[in-house]
Amino acid sequence: MVSRWEIEKFSGNDDFGLWKIKMQVILIQEMCIDALKNEAFMLARLTQVQNTEMLDKSLAHRLYLKQQLYSFRMGEKKSIIEQLMEFHKIIDDLKNIEMNIDDEDNALLLLSSLPRSFEHFKDALLYGNEDTIILDEVQTVMKSKEFSKLKDLKIEDSGEGLNVSRGGGERK
C-alpha cells in the first residue's frame, strides 16, 4: 500500500511546532527513521541559527553596541581614517541588528568623539551650519583636514621652506 501525504513546505509564517508534529507523524507512519534522524539534525541546526540571531538582537548585545557608539573617542595618535573605520564598524553592527541611528545624530556623535586638538574645527562645523549637519559632510571635512596635515608634514620633512641664509660668508 502506497500512501501519499501532502504537507506544505514550512514558510516561516505558520506554527512551526504544529508543522513539525505533522511531519514526524508522517515519517513514523512511512517508517522513515533515517529521515527522522536527519530532521532532528536539521532542527537542531535551525534552533542553533535562531538562537544566534536572537543573541545578536538581545538586549545585552544592543546595549553593548550602543555603549560602544556613545562612548567612542578618537585619539591623537591614530589616523583619522583608521578611527572613521572603527566608528563605521560600530554603526554597521547596529544596522545589522536593525538599530538605525539618525544621520544627524551620528554626525554629532562623531564630532563629539574628536580630541581636544579639534575643538575649533568641531565648533566651526557645529555652529557654521544653518540647516543640518550630516555624517558624510563631517567625514569629508575630517579627511580633508587629515590630508592637509599629512601634506604639511611631508613638506617639513623634505626641508622645503626651511632654507635660512645667514649671509655674509666667512670673515678673516
Side-chain angles (χ1 to χ4, degrees):
M1 179 174 132
V2 176
S3 59
R4 182 169 166 89
W5 301 87
E6 289 193 26
I7 293 183
E8 290 183 29
K9 184 178 177 180
F10 183 69
S11 66
N13 296 329
D14 301 325
D15 183 9
F16 179 73
L18 180 62
W19 179 85
K20 176 182 160 187
I21 292 170
K22 287 179 183 178
M23 287 300 296
Q24 288 174 338
V25 168
I26 291 171
L27 292 172
I28 290 170
Q29 287 177 346
E30 294 297 317
M31 302 173 99
C32 298
I33 301 300
D34 289 337
L36 269 178
K37 288 178 185 174
N38 189 32
E39 183 213 7
F41 171 75
M42 293 304 289
L43 286 174
R45 182 70 184 122
L46 178 63
T47 304
Q48 181 182 13
V49 168
Q50 287 173 335
N51 287 343
T52 302
E53 287 176 3
M54 291 302 290
L55 178 63
D56 286 348
K57 292 181 180 180
S58 71
L59 176 63
H61 188 68
R62 284 192 331 260
L63 292 177
Y64 170 75
L65 289 174
K66 281 184 171 183
Q67 184 178 21
Q68 275 191 312
L69 179 65
Y70 295 131
S71 64
F72 181 79
R73 296 289 172 257
M74 290 189 166
E76 297 280 354
K77 298 186 187 220
K78 280 187 180 178
S79 77
I80 295 292
I81 305 300
E82 285 178 295
Q83 295 180 86
L84 285 174
M85 287 173 33
E86 288 175 27
F87 185 77
H88 271 282
K89 182 184 180 327
I90 298 168
I91 291 173
D92 289 343
D93 288 347
L94 283 164
K95 283 181 184 174
N96 286 338
I97 60 168
E98 298 167 5
M99 295 280 314
N100 291 322
I101 297 176
D102 183 64
D103 189 64
E104 187 176 74
D105 291 338
N106 283 332
L108 184 59
L109 287 166
L110 183 59
L111 283 173
S112 298
S113 74
L114 291 170
R116 282 190 180 270
S117 63
F118 283 79
E119 282 300 316
H120 297 295
F121 169 80
K122 185 186 338 181
D123 290 342
L125 276 176
L126 279 175
Y127 304 112
N129 288 329
E130 296 173 13
D131 295 332
T132 186
I133 189 164
I134 58 172
L135 185 60
D136 285 342
E137 180 183 307
V138 172
Q139 292 177 123
T140 302
V141 175
M142 288 173 66
K143 289 175 187 176
S144 171
K145 183 173 171 70
E146 171 101 339
F147 180 72
S148 65
K149 193 177 188 182
L150 291 173
K151 190 176 173 184
D152 289 346
L153 286 175
K154 284 184 181 178
I155 289 173
E156 285 179 19
D157 287 345
S158 69
E160 291 179 33
L162 296 178
N163 298 329
V164 177
S165 173
R166 289 189 173 196
E170 273 186 51
R171 287 189 193 180
K172 288 189 181 183

